[in-house]
């Protein structure tokens, strides 16, 4: 089983599938939205992903995460009835492990239901089964702010594509992108997706 990969990202699609080159071998890995911006990086763009190897009779897939907590959250999620890898990745794309743990601890079903594909019953089941079992988000001192990755070209297109793949209509995705304005080019994709989901769920 593969537990960790450290290498250079040579392909990166809006669908969340990346190819990481490790010693000349390219591994295709599915990552949550915004995960690459939070992953540990070394010189020359080398990134480390913590990997869950998903093996079934007809499937061999790699899922990569920026932290061990995110991987642990993924494994906990797919252990819940009716939650598969795709749904777990959607949840972690909207709520990284720390935020997910906090939402579960507070019983905030609304934050889970805001993720496309998550209904009220599934949200309640997640809270019931996982409350208190995930690592909570670290407390950030007042005035401190986490470093932001550099802006990338085409962020608006990536955000629009991510929202439509989550089940929103193109017009809805366009409305969210427009509402976020200039922040689209300065904030991490994962943060943008969460803000867009909040905007769309409030309408």
């Amino acid at each position: 089983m593969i537990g960790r990969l450290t290498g250079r990202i040579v392909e990166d699609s809006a669908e969340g599938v990346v190819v990481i080159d490790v010693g000349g071998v390219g591994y295709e890995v599915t990552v949550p939205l915004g995960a690459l911006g939070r992953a540990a990086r070394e010189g020359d763009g080398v990134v480390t992903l913590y990997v869950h190897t998903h093996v079934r009779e007809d499937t061999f897939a790699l899922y990569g995460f920026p932290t061990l907590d995110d991987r642990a959250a993924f494994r906990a999620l797919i252990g819940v009835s009716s939650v598969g890898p795709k749904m777990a990745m959607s949840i972690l794309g909207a709520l990284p492990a720390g935020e997910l743990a906090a939402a579960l601890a507070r019983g905030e079903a609304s934050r889970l239901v805001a993720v496309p594909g998550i209904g009220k019953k599934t949200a309640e089941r997640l809270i019931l089964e996982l409350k208190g079992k995930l690592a909570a988000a670290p407390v950030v001192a007042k005035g401190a702010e986490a470093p932001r990755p550099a802006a990338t070209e085409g962020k608006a297109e990536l955000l629009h594509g991510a929202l439509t793949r989550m089940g929103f209509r193109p017009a809805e995705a366009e409305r969210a992108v427009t509402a976020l304005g200039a922040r689209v080019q300065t904030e991490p994709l994962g943060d943008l997706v969460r803000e867009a989901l909040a905007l769309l769920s409030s309408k």
Side-chain angles (χ1 to χ4, degrees):
M1 296 294 179
I2 298 172
R4 187 183 71 178
L5 292 171
T6 297
R8 187 174 291 101
I9 302 298
V10 294
E11 293 182 30
D12 183 3
S13 73
E15 289 76 15
V17 178
V18 304
V19 175
I20 181 170
D21 185 300
V22 182
V25 179
Y27 294 87
E28 189 174 273
V29 185
T30 301
V31 299
L33 290 171
L36 294 181
R38 296 184 292 116
R41 291 180 180 272
E42 301 174 16
D44 299 326
V46 173
V47 65
T48 293
L49 295 174
Y50 296 93
V51 175
H52 172 82
T53 304
H54 191 71
V55 181
R56 291 292 182 269
E57 289 183 3
D58 58 347
T59 303
F60 185 95
L62 301 179
Y63 295 91
F65 306 92
T67 69
L68 288 169
D69 286 343
D70 285 294
R71 186 178 68 179
F74 174 82
R75 289 173 171 172
L77 286 167
I78 61 175
V80 175
S81 176
S82 301
V83 178
K86 184 176 180 180
M87 183 180 292
M89 295 300 273
S90 294
I91 294 172
L92 289 172
L95 296 169
E99 293 182 33
L100 174 61
L104 292 171
R106 292 192 291 262
E108 295 177 338
S110 60
R111 296 203 61 189
L112 297 170
V113 173
V115 180
I118 304 295
K120 184 179 179 181
K121 288 185 177 180
T122 299
E124 292 173 346
R125 186 185 306 119
L126 288 169
I127 292 171
L128 178 64
E129 296 191 27
L130 300 182
K131 186 175 183 179
K133 295 183 179 180
L134 303 181
V139 176
V140 178
K142 289 184 178 180
E145 185 175 352
R148 300 285 188 178
T152 57
E153 294 185 2
K155 190 82 73 64
E157 288 77 8
L158 288 175
L159 176 59
H160 188 280
L163 292 171
T164 55
R165 281 188 298 280
M166 286 180 172
F168 291 104
R169 294 189 298 274
E172 292 176 315
E174 184 63 33
R175 175 163 55 83
V177 172
T178 301
L180 290 171
R183 282 180 292 167
V184 171
Q185 294 303 324
T186 60
E187 296 190 14
L189 185 58
D191 290 353
L192 291 169
V193 170
R194 289 192 290 277
E195 292 184 46
L197 290 174
L199 285 170
L200 292 170
S201 63
S202 65
K203 299 298 181 180

